[in-house]
Each structure stands twice: as structure tokens, then as C-alpha cells.
């Protein structure tokens, strides 16, 4: 007998502990590919012998009909459940397989999984029984996960008169070998035990320890199901009592103790009826697959509860019901390790930043409605937001302690907030990451708290700047995997022609921008191999010649670094030359995610986190202000967002040089890493809105302005973010090249009149500003409102 002790060591998979706030489920359709089976378990009504005149297997059209019905109902999983090797027992099965062009049931299963993947958005999970290593490896190519119930390790249950007599595939050693092979093949695997079929509690413990031991070795057991036996008519065990509810709860509690906090433990809610809420109290964190379309073919007498009912039951236990994919979040987040390449791509595209299923069809840049409830509605100040006092008696949430240079004293700022019943330590990675995980009521509370703090800090005015974006070249020597804008000199076939705008055209565009009411020109571009520091100085000369009074907001930290290197001078010296030539402030782009773990994947040859921060610190020390940005929603996780915010805050506490923080949701459509299958579809709407809300709270009071990008969020998204902590709508732009290259559908210009109408629609007061948040003259405001149409941009010279 194995020990009943919880493991002292963690499985190889670096999974986070199961969240105490979430209960997950998989929205699925049940596809019973065949009910024929060579085994004759005493309790089973699923398995049926072939009947004359009836097909042994579902046909391709039948499989697709079920899958498409599930897809239409919002399902993400196609659960293929079938009898074990019926061709070894039934001639009819062999003949039908031959007619289908297959030698085995597994071969036909593979074909149907491939069909569902090709024709629908569903992700297959397969339960085909005992398999060989080769069969499992083949199915790995077309399934998101696989499974086999261990049921029991008690060999005696296979003896004559016992439940598994006459069922060779129920031999414990055979099933344990399947579990072991799954670990070697790195297959996210589902298993579990069946209780109430004659086993003892000690035998259950033995089975759970066997599962634990395999998981400790391979890290591949994604969930353990504790399933209670229910007697069914017309079976040899029809008169055996159901497993008792209290016994089920004991077993779940014991499984949690043995398997630890990181394991996902499931118990089918339909087998516990009105008492299924007790399962959460006992230790489950997953309801399993629940279908709005198909019945539970294994337990047809026990219909699944409605998803709304599960939501209600979960909420009564203080949990949030969250839809997952067939592969659990830890395995989705490490998809390249645990899945075949095509499946890894499908999972990434279907998931959010935590590895759960995406909540809606929205993505940044797409003209798709945001469907989360309550968003965009003006919220009342009723969230009970309050700072948690520091031990030293620091200042309150609305107070700002500045030094003589404008920097903020970090010892005198509040970073911990109580929002209703939750306390968030926004000075820590853990606390910020927890805030980013907010869903449903907690999500609404954080957004409302951020909105309250915004109102207290900057009032109801939403500011914007009339500006022109000018991206002078899209030719770039760097290979950032997220960038759909830049290209090498020989990539004319990719997203249009390479270009390098002549100085004369730069001058014309800036003069036109000034005439149309602009107070700012924002200039940045690719790192052209022929550009030197002198190129940037010449661009500044031309800009100030075209419009002497325009504010030049230009050059990313990457461009500054490149310019300094080409002139063989320090960053400080080069920035000083740029200032002398007319540079007024720096854009905070090229930050992406300020964490080198992520940068190694998305921009390995770009400036490092420390290099970006050092350029910004130097600029601030020289008197240049700058923005700060985050580009999020591709392959990173919320912990990386937290690190980014903490690094921005730390620098702001030193220098006070950031004017605003700008979340830039990843626009995926044309991005190379998405096209190549290595990125998500941008942040979900919940995540994009939360970024603005959490930034408001985490960066308070050191950064007062949180900007929302209309190019990426669209007008409904802007409305939602303005009611979740944002107070700035950015620029009118006139030309927008970077997001447009990635596929955004929200246009290139937001003229002042339309900008102001959008702000008023959110219940706020619009006000034009300068780059540095000063008021603009009546002349500039009138020029913007009465601007002539833009002239066509003139020929751009390929280089």
C-alpha cells in the first residue's frame, strides 16, 4: 500500500496553485463515435453490441453535425468518447472500418478529429480507452488532450463476479501503462477513479497515490476526476446502491490532500444533483465538461445542470465560474512543450492570458462589439475604495509627495487598496497579478474603483491632442516578431512596399499638420540600416523649419540608442544634441513588455529592459518628458504586466518624467508571430479594460494620466476604458501606419469634432491639450475644428 501523504516535491510542470477564486468547466459537445466495446463492465450502459441495420460508427456527416451544433452554441471542446477496440470482438465493426478505409477504431478516430479541426473551431479531447504508444503519439497531432479513467488499482475487481470481469482493458497495470506513456509523450492527460463499485477506501488511496507518483515524474496529469458510481437498470450492478454523497466528499477531500493544491480535481455535477455545491467545499476546482447541446451519454439519466445554474452554485461558494479549454491553463500557457505545433497554435488563439477560454469574439483593432456586461455605463462612486495605511503613516490615496525635481518619494505613496472585501497590494508582483485575474463582480469592482480614483485625481475632463503621426520609414534592421509595420529591404511582398519618406515630404506633412491645427508631430520609424544619428538631427531641422512652434515628440529609446551608437557618443550626449536641434519629448514606445524573459521571444535583438529604462532616465534628467507604454496580449502573462508596471512606477518615483501611461493592446491580424502561430489574438476585452483600470490604481499617484488608444480599442472600447480609470484619449493622428499595417479597422484619423463627440458620449467633458498637458490657444482649437481635408500623401521612395 502506498503512503497517504501529500507530496513534498512539485511536479516538473511549473504550474501556479489552483486559484481559490475560480471553478472552471469546459463547454463541450459529446461525440459518441462508437458505442461498441470489447469490454463488458458490469455497471456500463454506454457500451452496446452492434445491431443489425445500424451503423457501428458515427459517419463523418453525423460527427460534423454534432460539432457544428456545439460550435454554434459557443462550445470549444469536442469530446470523443467511444468503446474500447470493438473491432477485436465484433465482425460488424471490422467490416465497417474496412468500408471507411481504416484498419482500427483509433485510425478512424484520428480521421474524425482531423475533420473537426479542419471544419470547425472546436478542439478535440479523446477518451478511446487503452492505446499503444504509437496510437497516442498519432492522436497527439489532432487532439488538445487525451484521457483514460484509471478507475481503480485493485486487481481483485477484475476477478470473476467483480465489476471488471471480462474486461481486459480494465486491468490496472494496463491502464497505468497508458498513463505512463502519456507522460513520456508529453500529453496533457485526464484520469480519475470510480468510487462505489466495491473498492475500499484504502484502495482509493492507493489509486490516488499511483496517479500522484506518475504526475510527480512527468507533470502531465492535467486533472483527476472523482466519479461516483450510479446504478443503472439492465446492468449486472442494477441493484447495487449508489455511492453515498458523504463518501464522495471524503474521497474528494482525500484526493486534494494527496494530490496537492496544484492539481485540478473534478467531480461531475450532474451525478450529485442539488448537492453539487458541496463538491466545492470538499475540494474540487472544476466541473468537467458541460454541454448545452448533447446529453451525457455515459450517464443519460442525469442531465447536466444549466451553465447558468453552475454559475449560481459557484457564486454561492464565493467562486467565479470560468470556461476553460480541453487542455488546462498551465498546459496552454506552455503549449509548445505540451502540444503538437498545430494544436499549440489553435490553443493559443483560443485562450486568454491565463490560459482559459476567451470570453468573446473581440480583439483589438477589430470592429466587433464588446459584450462584457456593464461596460461603458457610467458608474457611481460606490466601490468603497480606500487606501490601506502604511505602518509609517504614509500619505493617503489622493496625495502626492514630490521632491524638488518633481520625482515622487516612494516611502510616502500608498500602493495598497481595499476594494469592498478585497485587498490588493499593488506594490508587489503577486498583488498586481491577482488584480489582473479579476472577473465578473471583482472585475466590475476594480474598474469602478479605478474610475472613482480617476475622478478624485483628475476630474471628469478627458483630454486629447491634435497631432500628426509621421512614420518616416518602415525599413528596419530589427526582427521584432510582433511588428507588422517594419520590413527588411527585400520584403516587398509583405504588407506593402518598403519606403523611406524624403525630407521634402516630411516637411510638407508637418506644415500641413500645423495648418490643420496640430500642436504636435509624433515621429518614429524603423531602424533603417543607412540611418545615423545625423539622420535624426536632420529630420528635426526639417520639422522645426516647417513649423517652428510645433512640439516635436519623436524617437523611441531604440532610435536614440541607435543614433548614439552610429555617432560613437553616449546616449546622454546624443539626447543633448537632439534637444538642441528641437526635440521636445520622447514617445514611450519600444517598451513592449519591460521584462527580458518576454523580450527574448518577441524582440531579442532590441534594447533590453534596463537599456530602455536607462534612456528614459537620462532623458528625464536632461529635462525631456516622455510617455510610457505597454504592448500586451501576445504571448506574455499577467505576471509580466505586473513587472512592467512596477518598473515604470519605480522610474517615475525617481524622475517624475512620464506624462502619461498608454496601454497598447496587441493587434494580431497581420503580426508575424500571429501569422506563424505563436501568439494569441490580442488581449480579451476584459484584459484590455483591466489594463487601464489596474494601471490607474498601481501607478497612482505618480502617474496621473492614463490614455486609451482609439485606434486599437475602437469607440466602444474607449467608452469602457474612460469609465475604468482612463482620462485621456490620445491624439487625432491624421495618419496612422503601425496599427493599420497590423490590420486595425478603426481608421487613421479621429478629427477633433468626432473626438469630442466620442468623449461626450462617455459622459465626460472633452478638452484639447498640448503634449505636456497645457491648455491650447483658441486659435489652435479653432484651426483643428475647421481643418481642411488632408492632402494625399505623396510618393514614398523605396530604399
Amino acid at each position: 500500500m502506498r503512503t497517504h501523504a501529500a507530496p513534498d516535491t512539485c511536479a516538473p510542470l511549473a504550474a501556479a496553485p489552483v486559484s481559490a477564486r475560480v471553478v472552471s468547466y469546459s463547454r463541450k459537445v459529446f461525440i459518441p463515435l462508437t458505442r461498441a466495446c470489447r469490454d463488458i463492465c458490469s455497471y456500463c450502459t454506454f457500451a452496446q453490441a452492434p445491431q443489425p441495420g445500424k451503423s457501428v460508427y458515427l459517419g463523418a456527416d453525423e460527427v460534423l453535425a454534432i460539432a457544428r451544433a456545439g460550435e454554434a452554441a459557443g462550445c470549444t471542446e469536442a469530446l470523443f468518447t467511444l468503446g474500447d477496440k470493438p473491432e477485436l470482438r465484433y465482425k460488424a465493426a471490422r467490416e465497417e472500418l474496412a468500408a471507411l478505409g481504416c484498419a482500427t477504431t483509433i485510425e478512424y478516430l484520428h480521421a474524425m478529429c482531423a475533420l473537426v479541426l479542419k471544419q470547425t473551431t472546436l478542439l478535440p479531447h479523446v477518451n478511446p480507452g487503452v492505446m499503444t504508444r504509437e496510437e497516442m503519439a498519432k492522436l497527439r497531432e489532432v487532439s488538445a488532450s487525451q484521457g483514460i479513467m484509471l478507475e481503480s488499482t485493485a486487481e481483485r475487481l477484475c476477478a470473476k463476479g467483480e465489476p471488471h470481469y471480462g474486461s481486459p482493458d480494465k486491468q490496472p497495470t494496463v491502464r497505468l501503462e497508458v498513463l505512463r506513456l502519456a507522460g513520456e509523450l508529453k500529453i496533457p492527460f485526464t484520469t480519475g477513479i470510480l468510487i462505489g463499485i466495491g473498492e475500499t477506501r484504502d484502495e482509493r488511496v492507493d489509486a490516488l497515490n499511483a496517479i500522484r507518483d506518475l504526475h510527480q515524474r512527468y507533470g502531465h496529469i492535467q486533472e483527476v476526476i472523482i466519479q461516483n458510481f450510479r446504478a443503472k437498470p439492465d446492468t449486472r450492478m442494477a441493484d447495487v446502491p449508489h455511492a453515498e454523497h458523504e463518501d464522495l466528499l471524503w474521497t474528494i477531500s482525500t484526493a486534494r490532500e494527496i494530490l496537492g493544491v496544484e492539481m485540478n480535481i473534478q467531480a461531475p455535477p450532474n451525478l450529485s444533483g442539488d448537492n453539487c455545491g458541496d463538491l466545492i467545499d470538499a475540494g474540487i476546482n472544476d466541473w468537467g465538461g458541460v454541454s448545452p447541446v448533447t446529453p451525457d451519454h455515459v450517464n443519460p439519466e442525469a442531465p447536466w445542470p444549466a451553465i447558468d445554474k453552475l454559475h449560481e452554485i459557484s457564486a454561492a461558494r464565493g467562486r467565479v465560474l470560468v470556461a476553460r479549454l480541453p487542455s488546462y491553463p498551465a498546459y496552454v500557457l506552455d503549449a509548445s512543450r505540451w502540444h503538437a505545433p498545430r494544436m499549440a497554435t489553435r490553443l493559443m488563439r483560443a485562450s486568454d492570458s491565463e490560459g482559459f477560454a476567451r470570453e468573446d469574439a473581440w480583439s483589438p483593432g477589430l470592429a466587433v462589439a464588446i459584450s462584457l456586461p456593464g461596460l461603458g455605463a457610467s458608474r457611481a462612486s460606490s466601490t468603497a475604495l480606500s487606501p490601506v495605511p502604511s505602518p509609517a503613516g504614509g500619505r493617503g490615496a489622493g496625495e502626492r509627495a514630490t521632491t524638488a525635481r518633481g520625482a515622487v518619494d516612494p516611502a510616502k505613496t500608498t500602493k495598497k487598496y481595499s476594494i469592498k472585501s478585497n485587498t490588493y497590494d499593488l506594490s508587489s508582483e503577486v498583488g498586481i497579478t491577482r488584480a489582473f485575474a479579476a472577473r465578473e463582480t471583482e472585475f466590475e469592482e476594480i474598474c469602478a474603483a479605478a474610475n472613482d480614483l480617476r475622478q478624485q485625481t483628475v476630474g471628469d475632463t478627458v483630454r486629447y491632442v491634435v497631432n500628426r503621426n509621421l512614420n518616416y520609414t518602415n525599413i528596419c534592421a530589427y526582427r521584432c516578431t510582433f511588428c507588422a509595420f517594419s520590413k527588411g529591404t527585400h520584403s516587398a511582398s509583405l504588407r506593402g512596399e518598403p519606403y523611406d519618406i524624403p525630407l521634402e515630404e516630411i516637411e510638407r506633412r508637418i506644415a500641413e499638420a500645423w495648418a490643420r491645427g496640430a500642436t504636435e508631430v509624433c515621429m518614429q520609424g524603423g531602424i533603417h540600416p543607412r540611418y545615423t544619428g545625423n539622420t535624426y538631427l536632420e529630420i528635426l531641422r526639417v520639422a522645426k523649419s516647417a513649423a517652428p512652434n510645433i512640439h516635436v515628440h519623436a524617437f523611441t529609446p531604440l532610435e536614440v540608442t541607435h543614433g548614439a551608437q552610429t555617432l560613437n557618443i553616449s546616449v546622454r550626449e546624443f539626447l543633448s544634441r537632439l534637444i538642441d536641434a528641437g526635440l521636445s519629448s520622447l514617445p514611450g514606445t519600444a517598451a513592449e513588455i519591460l521584462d527580458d524573459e518576454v523580450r527574448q521571444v518577441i524582440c531579442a535583438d532590441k534594447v533590453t529592459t534596463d537599456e530602455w529604462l536607462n534612456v528614459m532616465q537620462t532623458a528625464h534628467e536632461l529635462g525631456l518628458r516622455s510617455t510610457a507604454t505597454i504592448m500586451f496580449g501576445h504571448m506574455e502573462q499577467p505576471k509580466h504586466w505586473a513587472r512592467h508596471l512596477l518598473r515604470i512606477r519605480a522610474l517615475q518615483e525617481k524622475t517624475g518624467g512620464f506624462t502619461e501611461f498608454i496601454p497598447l493592446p496587441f493587434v494580431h491580424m497581420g503580426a508575424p508571430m500571429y501569422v506563424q502561430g505563436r501568439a494569441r489574438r490580442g488581449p480579451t476585452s476584459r484584459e484590455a479594460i483591466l489594463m487601464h483600470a489596474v494601471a490607474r490604481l498601481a501607478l497612482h499617484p505618480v502617474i496621473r494620466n492614463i490614455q486609451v488608444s482609439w485606434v486599437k480599442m475602437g469607440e466602444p472600447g474607449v467608452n469602457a476604458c474612460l469609465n475604468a480609470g482612463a482620462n485621456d484619449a490620445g491624439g487625432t493622428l491624421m495618419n496612422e501606419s503601425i496599427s493599420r499595417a497590423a490590420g486595425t479597422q478603426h481608421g487613421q484619423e479621429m478629427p477633433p469634432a468626432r473626438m469630442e463627440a466620442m468623449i461626450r458620449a462617455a459622459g465626460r467633458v472633452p478638452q484639447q491639450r498640448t503634449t505636456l498637458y497645457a491648455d491650447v490657444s483658441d486659435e489652435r482649437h479653432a484651426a483643428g475644428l475647421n481643418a481642411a481635408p488632408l492632402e494625399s500623401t505623396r510618393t514614398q521612395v523605396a530604399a
Side-chain angles (χ1 to χ4, degrees):
M1 184 74 63
R2 295 179 179 86
T3 177
H4 179 179
D8 294 325
T9 58
C10 293
L13 179 66
V18 170
S19 172
R21 298 181 294 163
V22 165
V23 177
S24 56
Y25 77 103
S26 179
R27 198 176 181 100
K28 74 177 182 184
V29 285
F30 197 131
I31 303 177
L33 191 62
T34 180
R35 300 184 70 157
C37 181
R38 76 161 176 169
D39 297 318
I40 51 170
C41 301
S42 299
Y43 46 78
C44 183
T45 58
F46 176 78
Q48 296 178 0
Q51 301 295 314
K54 293 185 178 181
S55 297
V56 181
Y57 297 88
L58 293 180
D61 290 346
E62 294 173 295
V63 169
L64 275 181
I66 296 171
R68 285 173 174 152
E71 183 179 38
C75 297
T76 56
E77 175 182 346
L79 169 62
F80 283 90
T81 293
L82 52 153
D84 207 319
K85 303 179 186 65
E87 67 272 23
L88 298 183
R89 181 174 184 181
Y90 298 111
K91 180 181 179 182
R94 294 191 294 273
E95 290 175 344
E96 193 166 320
L97 284 172
L100 292 167
C102 298
T104 66
T105 298
I106 297 294
E107 185 180 347
Y108 185 56
L109 172 62
H110 180 277
M112 292 301 97
C113 287
L115 181 67
V116 166
L117 281 173
K118 182 179 180 180
Q119 298 290 334
T120 77
T121 58
L122 300 189
L123 301 166
H125 171 88
V126 297
N127 289 332
V130 172
M131 296 170 281
T132 66
R133 182 188 184 91
E134 292 72 22
E135 288 171 335
M136 295 170 72
K138 187 175 182 180
L139 286 173
R140 186 178 187 268
E141 300 294 321
V142 293
S143 63
S145 52
Q146 300 178 31
I148 188 171
M149 289 289 284
L150 175 58
E151 297 196 9
S152 177
T153 51
E155 296 279 354
R156 65 180 184 81
L157 296 181
C158 295
K160 189 172 182 179
E162 296 294 338
H164 291 153
Y165 179 69
S167 302
D169 299 299
K170 292 301 175 79
Q171 287 286 340
T173 54
V174 172
R175 297 176 92 77
L176 285 169
E177 176 64 6
V178 173
L179 292 179
R180 188 189 70 79
L181 290 172
E184 287 188 352
L185 291 168
K186 292 185 171 58
I187 297 171
F189 216 73
T190 293
T191 190
I193 62 173
L194 180 61
I195 71 167
I197 59 172
E199 81 295 343
T200 66
R201 284 187 169 184
D202 281 346
E203 287 167 339
R204 293 179 204 165
V205 168
D206 188 77
L208 290 169
N209 279 319
I211 293 169
R212 182 201 63 189
D213 292 347
L214 284 164
H215 183 64
Q216 283 186 320
R217 184 176 178 186
Y218 297 107
H220 67 303
I221 303 297
Q222 64 167 0
E223 66 178 331
V224 174
I225 302 170
I226 310 299
Q227 184 163 334
N228 48 315
F229 164 76
R230 288 173 62 96
K232 296 177 176 59
D234 302 320
T235 65
R236 295 200 301 273
M237 294 180 66
D239 296 328
V240 174
H242 293 339
E244 293 183 1
H245 187 64
E246 291 303 317
D247 206 21
L248 173 63
L249 299 181
W250 178 89
T251 308
I252 292 170
S253 179
T254 300
R256 176 59 69 199
E257 180 183 353
I258 292 172
L259 299 170
V261 296
E262 293 182 358
M263 181 55 69
N264 298 296
I265 297 178
Q266 174 199 135
N270 56 319
L271 303 187
S272 291
D274 293 338
N275 296 319
C276 64
D278 296 345
L279 307 180
I280 296 177
D281 300 333
I284 72 159
N285 67 296
D286 188 85
W287 292 119
V290 178
S291 180
V293 177
T294 53
D296 181 349
H297 290 282
V298 174
N299 298 284
E301 79 287 355
W304 280 300
I307 291 171
D308 287 347
K309 181 65 174 177
L310 281 182
H311 185 281
E312 179 183 311
I313 292 167
S314 301
R317 259 66 180 184
R319 307 298 179 89
V320 177
L321 184 67
V322 179
R324 61 168 172 84
L325 301 169
S327 184
Y328 272 77
Y331 300 87
V332 174
L333 294 176
D334 198 7
S336 62
R337 175 186 178 193
W338 290 99
H339 299 279
R342 179 172 64 159
M343 191 56 58
T345 294
R346 292 284 292 264
L347 286 162
M348 287 192 74
R349 291 178 175 178
S351 69
D352 67 13
S353 65
E354 294 181 88
F356 289 107
R358 295 181 74 89
E359 296 119 327
D360 57 26
W362 184 88
S363 285
L366 291 180
V368 175
I370 290 178
S371 61
L372 290 177
L375 296 180
S378 184
R379 299 179 176 89
S381 298
S382 59
T383 54
L385 168 68
S386 59
V388 177
S390 65
R395 295 173 182 250
E399 297 181 277
R400 177 181 174 89
T402 58
T403 67
R405 293 176 62 104
V408 178
D409 183 352
K412 297 180 180 180
T413 61
T414 298
K415 304 173 191 174
K416 187 178 288 188
Y417 296 97
S418 177
I419 301 174
K420 292 207 171 174
S421 61
N422 296 302
T423 298
Y424 302 90
D425 179 4
L426 300 183
S427 66
S428 72
E429 178 184 326
V430 171
I432 296 175
T433 301
R434 180 181 182 274
F436 278 127
R439 297 171 186 267
E440 297 189 353
T441 300
E442 188 179 5
F443 164 78
E444 287 292 320
E445 290 172 358
I446 285 179
C447 291
N451 196 44
D452 290 346
L453 186 58
R454 180 272 310 159
Q455 202 282 330
Q456 296 166 22
T457 305
V458 294
D460 290 327
T461 298
V462 174
R463 293 172 173 82
Y464 71 94
V465 62
V466 176
N467 66 349
R468 184 167 199 162
N469 266 17
L470 205 162
N471 305 117
Y472 31 75
T473 183
N474 65 353
I475 296 168
C476 189
Y478 287 76
R479 298 181 178 275
C480 300
T481 62
F482 59 84
C483 185
F485 169 73
S486 66
K487 51 184 55 66
T489 55
H490 302 294
S491 58
S493 62
L494 184 61
R495 302 178 302 275
E497 295 286 337
Y499 70 80
D500 186 17
I501 300 177
L503 290 173
E504 299 79 24
E505 175 65 4
I506 292 175
E507 186 173 24
R508 186 198 70 78
R509 292 190 192 184
I510 294 173
E512 181 184 35
W514 180 261
R516 298 183 81 243
T519 59
E520 170 193 300
V521 60
C522 177
M523 297 191 293
Q524 53 194 315
I527 305 300
H528 195 299
R530 292 205 296 268
Y531 277 26
T532 70
N534 288 327
T535 309
Y536 302 116
L537 293 168
E538 184 65 10
I539 289 172
L540 284 172
R541 183 194 65 77
V542 167
K544 300 304 285 186
S545 172
N549 294 322
I550 204 161
H551 181 109
V552 181
H553 181 66
F555 312 137
T556 68
L558 177 61
E559 291 173 288
V560 171
T561 301
H562 174 72
Q565 289 172 344
T566 60
L567 297 181
N568 198 27
I569 60 176
S570 68
V571 164
R572 181 176 294 272
E573 172 61 25
F574 184 54
L575 281 169
S576 296
R577 294 188 190 183
L578 293 172
I579 293 169
D580 291 343
L583 180 65
S584 307
S585 60
L586 291 181
T589 44
E592 323 317 348
I593 298 290
L594 292 176
D595 190 279
D596 288 339
E597 181 181 3
V598 175
R599 298 179 81 83
Q600 280 298 312
V601 177
I602 67 171
C603 54
D605 54 352
K606 209 168 191 173
V607 289
T608 66
T609 294
D610 285 344
E611 288 168 340
W612 189 94
L613 292 168
N614 288 338
V615 170
M616 286 303 189
Q617 179 170 340
T618 303
H620 296 171
E621 290 169 353
L622 291 171
L624 281 177
R625 303 295 296 277
S626 72
T627 60
T629 68
I630 183 172
M631 193 278 294
F632 65 105
H634 33 88
M635 51 67 62
E636 81 298 353
Q637 298 174 34
K639 65 182 179 182
H640 301 115
W641 305 344
R643 294 170 191 171
H644 185 105
L645 290 179
L646 290 170
R647 285 165 178 148
I648 291 293
R649 180 176 180 122
L651 181 54
Q652 183 74 342
E653 287 173 341
K654 275 187 182 180
T655 68
F658 292 124
T659 54
E660 72 246 55
F661 180 72
I662 312 171
L664 299 173
F666 173 60
V667 177
H668 72 279
M669 291 78 79
M673 66 187 299
Y674 180 80
V675 173
Q676 295 161 8
R678 296 184 287 118
R680 300 190 298 275
R681 294 191 290 115
T684 65
S685 56
R686 176 186 61 85
E687 292 167 342
I689 294 162
L690 264 180
M691 180 61 74
H692 296 76
V694 174
R696 166 62 65 189
L697 297 168
L699 298 177
H700 179 79
V702 299
I703 295 181
R704 294 167 58 84
N705 301 302
I706 306 297
Q707 184 182 124
V708 54
S709 169
W710 60 264
V711 171
K712 299 175 189 297
M713 294 296 299
E715 291 191 33
V718 169
N719 187 303
C721 292
L722 289 179
N723 286 283
N727 70 299
D728 191 275
T732 58
L733 302 186
M734 299 192 196
N735 300 113
E736 201 296 311
S737 303
I738 295 175
S739 294
R740 183 163 54 96
T744 186
Q745 299 170 355
H746 298 310
Q748 292 195 74
E749 183 177 22
M750 178 74 71
R754 183 178 160 201
M755 178 76 81
E756 294 188 2
M758 177 181 69
I759 292 168
R760 289 191 183 97
R764 307 283 281 286
V765 179
Q767 184 181 81
Q768 187 179 339
R769 63 168 173 86
T770 67
T771 307
L772 300 182
Y773 286 83
D775 294 337
V776 300
S777 67
D778 291 341
E779 179 274 329
R780 286 288 83 194
H781 187 228
L785 290 173
N786 299 303
L790 276 171
E791 292 185 25
S792 298
T793 54
R794 296 174 185 173
T795 304
Q796 299 174 343
V797 177

